[in-house]
Amino acid sequence: MLRFLVRRVLLGILVLFLTVSLVFALFYVYPSDVARTLAGRQATPETIALIKARLGLDQPTYVQYGRYLWNLLHGNLGYDYYHNVPVTQIIATALPKTVSIALGASVIWLLLGVLNGVLSAVRPRSVADRTLTVFSLFFYSLPTFVLGLTLLYFFYFKLTIAGITFFPPGGYVNLADDPFTWFRSLILPWLTLALVQAALYTRLTRGSLLDVLGEDYIRTARSKGLGERRVVYRHGLRSALTPIVTQFGIDLGVLVGGVVVTESVFGIDGMGFEAVRAINDQNSPVIIGVVIVAAGAVVVANIVVDMLYAVLDPRVRLN
C-alpha cells in the first residue's frame, strides 16, 4: 500500500508539472498584450514598458517560467494582473462555492443513479426499466443551461410571483453566515447538475450490474439458496460499483475545477466563473491557478478511486 501511494503521488506530481508547463506555454508563449490592455488605449510606449517591467513580462520566457515554478513551490501563485490581489486569495474565495455545488450535487446524483440503475437491472425490460431509460435519456440529452433556466423559471420566478419566497435571491450564501439559507440557495444548482449526471449513472449502474449478475459466482450464490436481495446487494452490487466509482472520481474532480455553466446560470462566482473571466481578460496567473487546483483535484480523486478498488472488489490488488 505504501509503495502504491508513493508511486501514485509521484505520478500525480509529474502530471501537475506537465499541466502547469503546458498552460504556461499556452498563455505566456502565445502573443498577448496584457500590458497595453492594462495601460489603456491612450498609453504611451514608456507607460506600457513600465507595466511590463513591473509584471516581469519584459524578461525572457524561460526566466518567467523558472520564477513561476519557484514561487509555486513556496505556495505563491502570483497576483491578479488587474486587481493586484493574490491568486491564492481569489481561489480561497471561489473554491468553497464550487465545492459546495459539486459535493451536494454528487451526493444526489449518486443516490439517484445507483438506486435507479439497480431497479432497472433487477427488472430488465420491465415497465420500470423502460420508464427509467426514457427519463435517463431525456435528462442526459438536456443541456445544463436549459435545465437550470427552467428550474429558475418555475421554482424561483413563478413561486416568487405567487408570494412564496423559499429560495433566497442573489447567488451564493456562506455556510458559516446562515446554514439554512446556504442550503436553500444551492438546491436548484444541485438539482441542475444532479438530474443530468444521474441519468449517466443510471445507465452505467444498470449495464455494470447486469454483467455482474451473469457471472458464475452469482449463479453459485443463487444455487446455494441465498436470497435474491442478498445476492444482488451484497455480492453483485459491490463488484458492479467499480466503474461507477471510476466515473464518480473523474466527475467530482473535474467539477471541483469549476462548474462553469451552472455557476453562470445561477450567478455564483466560483472557480468556473473566475476561470472564464480570467480567460476573457488574459489574466494568466489566475488561469494557471485555477488549472492547478482542477488538476490537483483530478489527481487526488484518481488516487482515492484506485484505493477503493481493492475495498469494493477483493479480486483487485494494489500492485
Side-chain angles (χ1 to χ4, degrees), residues 32-49 51-52 55 57 82 282:
S32 60
D33 205 349
V34 176
R36 178 172 292 278
T37 303
L38 291 172
R41 295 182 178 180
Q42 305 299 324
T44 62
E46 291 77 12
T47 302
I48 296 175
I51 293 177
K52 285 185 176 181
L55 297 177
L57 299 177
Y82 294 86
Q282 297 182 348

Side-chain angles (χ1 to χ4, degrees), residues 109 197 201 243-256 294 297-298 301-302 305 309:
W109 88 54
Q197 291 293 111
Y201 282 74
I244 288 89
V245 170
T246 302
Q247 187 66 40
F248 181 74
I250 295 174
D251 289 341
L252 186 59
V254 171
L255 288 180
V256 170
V298 173
N302 277 276
V305 164
Y309 281 166

Side-chain angles (χ1 to χ4, degrees), residues 68-95:
Y68 186 84
L69 287 181
W70 177 256
N71 291 332
L72 182 61
L73 291 174
H74 292 79
N76 182 5
L77 297 177
Y79 285 82
D80 185 326
Y81 282 159
Y82 294 86
H83 305 96
N84 199 30
V85 177
V87 175
T88 52
Q89 181 179 331
I90 296 174
I91 293 176
T93 303
L95 186 60

